[in-house]
Amino acid sequence: MVMEKLIEKFESGATVENGKAANPAAAAPTPPAAAAAAAAPPPPPPPPPPPNTAELQKQSAAENAGSGALFAEINSLGEGGVRSGLKKATRGPVNEDPAALAPKPVQSAAAVSVVAPAKPAPAAKTPTLELKGKKWVVEFFEGNNEIILDVNNIKESVYIYRCNKSTIQIKGKCNSIAIDSCKKFNCVFESALSICEVVNSSDIQIQSTGASPAVTVDNCNTLTYYLSAEALADAQIITSKSAAVNLCAPKPDDPDDMFETPIPEQMVTKFKDGQWVTEFVDHSD
């Protein structure tokens, strides 16, 4: 039996080596093309089968049905839509204390502004009473009611500047008197040759015991001028930009009694007989 099997294998092309059957394919040499084919990578797998069209149509129909139901629900809410049930919210931070959101009062500019330091008061100047050439200079007196000035020459003039709450007595006959920038000041003089002038002052009282041809008052408030009987003969009062100016003089029939006359402050201008006419306003009626 063994011999018969060997003969069958030999006839089929198999060989026996060392008592073992040899594989003729393994024993035969491999061609180069076959070797290269055996070394190449395996081919890619086949493509997947085409998608199932029926399944895709079912999924699309389900999605359309869901969106249609959503729009139908929105339309059923009316014109307001989904916002119809919402509350109106105000602009601003969320979840904060309402008291913190209330408007705060605005501080005025005066409250916010920084107070500037007060300026130091100007140093008091030394009172002066001296003769400079032919002019007596009287200035910077405060609260002195005993100022006495003796004039020895008719060519000398008197200039009074920034004297407050004081009184001066001028003895003798001088050329002129000027009172400038004084407050609550009194001046008593005997006689002035030309003029007595008062400018930029307030609360002034002037008294002449002798002759005084002219008195000018400019930019003053509250002035009273006491004239003597001798000064009434040729007195001339000129006022401009002044208020509350009064003249006091003795009565002609009773020199011991004084009468007071206010100088008008208001004027009215009317057109009469082809020209403009200005008259003082009379409030006596």
Side-chain angles (χ1 to χ4, degrees), residues 64-252:
N64 293 336
S67 61
L70 177 61
F71 284 109
E73 184 178 357
I74 293 174
N75 293 333
S76 65
L77 296 176
E79 296 181 357
V82 294
R83 296 180 298 176
S84 60
L86 299 179
K87 294 181 179 180
K88 185 176 181 181
T90 58
R91 292 184 179 182
V94 185
N95 298 329
E96 289 191 4
D97 186 10
L101 299 178
K104 298 180 179 180
V106 180
Q107 294 182 347
S108 61
V112 177
S113 62
V114 179
V115 179
K119 294 182 179 180
K125 296 186 178 181
T126 305
T128 302
L129 175 60
E130 63 178 343
L131 178 63
K132 296 181 179 181
K134 295 182 180 181
K135 178 190 293 186
W136 284 96
V137 177
V138 183
E139 56 186 4
F140 306 123
F141 280 91
E142 294 283 344
N144 190 343
N145 295 320
E146 298 180 357
I147 307 171
I148 299 176
L149 175 61
D150 291 323
V151 178
N152 300 319
N153 193 333
I154 196 173
K155 294 182 179 180
E156 295 175 355
S157 61
V158 180
Y159 178 71
I160 304 170
Y161 179 70
R162 288 201 173 186
C163 293
N164 304 324
K165 299 179 181 179
S166 301
T167 301
I168 185 172
Q169 183 178 359
I170 303 174
K171 296 181 178 181
K173 190 173 184 179
C174 62
N175 184 30
S176 63
I177 300 172
I179 300 174
D180 185 8
S181 303
C182 296
K183 295 181 179 179
K184 297 183 178 180
F185 184 75
N186 305 322
C187 178
V188 181
F189 64 95
E190 292 182 2
S191 181
L193 179 63
S194 59
I195 191 173
C196 177
E197 181 181 12
V198 185
V199 296
N200 304 321
S201 301
S202 61
D203 294 330
I204 304 297
Q205 294 189 28
I206 303 173
Q207 180 179 359
S208 65
T209 59
S212 177
V215 174
T216 62
V217 181
D218 183 19
N219 194 26
C220 293
N221 185 15
T222 310
L223 182 143
T224 303
Y225 180 32
Y226 296 91
L227 294 88
S228 64
E230 184 180 355
L232 284 176
D234 53 355
Q236 183 178 0
I237 314 300
I238 303 172
T239 60
S240 62
K241 296 187 295 184
S242 299
V245 178
N246 296 283
L247 304 177
C248 295
K251 293 181 178 180

